[in-house]
Amino acid sequence: PFMVKYRQFLEEFGDLEYIHVVVDPGSDQALGREAVDWLTERIKQVQGIEGVYGYLTAEDQLRLATRSMSIDQLQQLAAASAGIRQLLAIPDSVEALERADQLTARLVREGLTMTPDEQERIGAEAIFLLETVLEPENFDQLIPDRIYLQSPGGRLLFISIMPVKDYSTVSVIEKPLADIRSILADARDRFPDLDAVCLTGK
């Protein structure tokens, strides 16, 4: 009876039961990230795996950004939204600087007669354009190539794995689990300086 209800739950809400690989690199975070990259690619090749998530790509970050921002960050993004539209329409840095100059000039000229919301919107747009043009190296760092899944202290690295469940078997995930354990054994041989490479989950 439980399994009947559980299968109904899965159909409505989806499967949230992941397997998690935990990598403890000790003091060598670069080695830990290298191991996560290697493990992620190897585990993706295992049959019976729906998804493997060892890091967020730039595309993932853009897709998830607004859902993970604080309210303050969302308000700042909304305030600068006109600047984002302008940036997409401006073909070069000179035009972006000219647009920012027009905005700041308007703010100086008409600021006292504007509402506080309008002052903030125009100021945010100008600052966004100027920061983008004048500090491109900082802007590029806003979206790094990948962000690794880490514990709050930053020491442990994680890989979340969604296996296909076979409820006609007692173990449900016996074959993919055996394959993942074999890959972890290879990882321990390949990266002997890691403090630990472990597996956890329900």
Side-chain angles (χ1 to χ4, degrees), residues 61-114:
Q61 294 166 58
L62 288 169
R63 180 171 51 83
L64 297 170
T66 53
R67 283 187 273 174
S68 60
M69 285 178 175
S70 68
I71 296 299
D72 285 346
Q73 289 171 321
L74 285 169
Q75 288 172 337
Q76 290 170 21
L77 181 64
S81 60
I84 296 169
R85 286 196 298 274
Q86 289 289 334
L87 190 64
L88 292 173
I90 292 171
D92 60 44
S93 298
V94 173
E95 287 191 42
L97 284 170
E98 288 175 352
R99 173 64 180 164
D101 185 52
Q102 292 167 5
L103 290 166
T104 51
R106 182 183 170 197
L107 201 56
V108 170
R109 187 175 62 248
E110 305 170 23
L112 293 175
T113 61
M114 291 178 181

Side-chain angles (χ1 to χ4, degrees), residues 2-95:
F2 168 81
M3 286 308 299
V4 171
K5 290 179 182 177
Y6 183 65
R7 295 297 293 278
Q8 291 169 346
F9 171 87
L10 291 182
E11 286 175 17
E12 184 161 354
F13 297 104
D15 189 348
L16 304 178
E17 291 186 4
Y18 287 82
I19 299 170
H20 302 281
V21 171
V22 183
V23 175
D24 183 349
S27 60
D28 193 343
Q29 282 291 316
L31 180 65
R33 291 191 291 270
E34 183 185 342
V36 167
D37 290 344
W38 185 85
L39 282 162
T40 300
E41 291 310 309
R42 284 288 304 275
I43 294 169
K44 281 180 180 178
Q45 297 168 25
V46 172
Q47 198 166 19
I49 298 292
E50 287 187 63
V52 182
Y53 312 98
Y55 45 77
L56 297 176
T57 64
E59 184 179 290
D60 293 330
Q61 294 166 58
L62 288 169
R63 180 171 51 83
L64 297 170
T66 53
R67 283 187 273 174
S68 60
M69 285 178 175
S70 68
I71 296 299
D72 285 346
Q73 289 171 321
L74 285 169
Q75 288 172 337
Q76 290 170 21
L77 181 64
S81 60
I84 296 169
R85 286 196 298 274
Q86 289 289 334
L87 190 64
L88 292 173
I90 292 171
D92 60 44
S93 298
V94 173
E95 287 191 42

